[in-house]
């Protein structure tokens, strides 16, 4: 068998992926790799034997491949004593969001980087990062993840200087 996935890109060019399926007898299902997220594909199948290649099937589809989510927008960060609370607006996404990855990073006086990463379950829109070091200037970033994968990382928010004095 030969499976062909075809999609039309926004610029009207065609993206086509061909996948031969072998075996004796050949498998009746397969995964097609090399497809582009955000496009809608139609799939056809043809059988090949010693006599030649048969007719192409009626197209199945379209099947839309979801794109990874764009970056969330950080709206506010409040620094505290060795912690910071960050708020964000979720991105519009083709798929439901499953989690966020929040990162705080600061350069110490000795030029090493102190970095704290936290995973936050969606649909949260704020989180407190602990384990930060007082007196450093932190920059914050965030990315969202859906079933389609991890999305783009936001631009840095900051610097935010953490207090070395309680509240």
């Amino acid at each position: 068998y030969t499976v062909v996935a075809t999609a039309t890109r926004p610029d009207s060019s065609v993206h086509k992926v061909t996948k031969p399926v072998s075996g004796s007898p050949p498998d009746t299902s397969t995964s097609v790799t090399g497809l582009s997220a955000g496009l809608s594909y139609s799939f056809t199948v043809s059988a090949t034997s010693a006599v030649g290649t048969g007719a192409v099937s009626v197209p199945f589809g379209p099947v839309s491949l979801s794109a990874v989510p764009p970056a969330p927008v950080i709206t506010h960060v409040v620094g505290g004593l060795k912690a910071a609370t960050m708020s964000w607006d979720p991105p519009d996404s083709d798929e439901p969001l499953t989690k966020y990855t929040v990162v705080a990073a600061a350069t110490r006086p000795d030029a090493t980087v102190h970095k704290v990463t936290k995973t936050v379950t969606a649909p949260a829109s704020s989180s407190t990062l602990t384990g930060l070091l007082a007196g450093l200037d932190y920059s914050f970033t965030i990315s969202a993840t859906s079933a389609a994968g991890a999305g783009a990382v936001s631009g840095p928010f900051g610097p935010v200087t953490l207090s070395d004095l309680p509240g």
Side-chain angles (χ1 to χ4, degrees):
Y1 294 106
T2 300
V3 176
V4 177
T6 307
T8 302
R9 294 181 178 110
D11 66 2
S12 298
S13 65
V14 174
H15 183 233
K16 184 176 178 180
V17 176
T18 302
K19 166 121 188 237
V21 180
S22 60
S24 182
D27 291 332
T28 56
S29 66
T30 189
S31 295
V32 179
T33 58
L35 306 179
S36 296
L39 296 180
S40 294
Y41 286 86
S42 293
F43 295 85
T44 58
V45 179
S46 60
T48 303
S49 69
V51 178
T53 300
V56 175
S57 70
V58 173
F60 176 82
V63 175
S64 296
L65 296 182
S66 298
V68 296
V73 175
I74 300 171
T75 57
H76 196 69
V77 177
V78 176
L81 180 62
K82 299 183 183 178
T85 300
M86 184 171 96
S87 301
W88 60 86
D89 288 335
D92 291 330
S93 178
D94 293 340
E95 297 282 334
L97 301 176
T98 56
K99 67 180 179 179
Y100 295 97
T101 302
V102 179
V103 178
T107 302
R108 295 180 180 111
D110 65 1
T112 61
V113 174
H114 181 250
K115 183 173 164 182
V116 173
T117 301
K118 182 177 181 181
T119 300
V120 181
T121 303
S125 60
S126 68
S127 183
T128 299
L129 287 97
T130 59
L132 305 180
L133 303 176
L136 295 181
D137 293 335
Y138 281 86
S139 290
F140 296 82
T141 59
I142 185 170
S143 63
T145 300
S146 71
V153 176
S154 69
F157 184 99
V160 174
T161 304
L162 296 188
S163 172
D164 54 1
L165 300 174

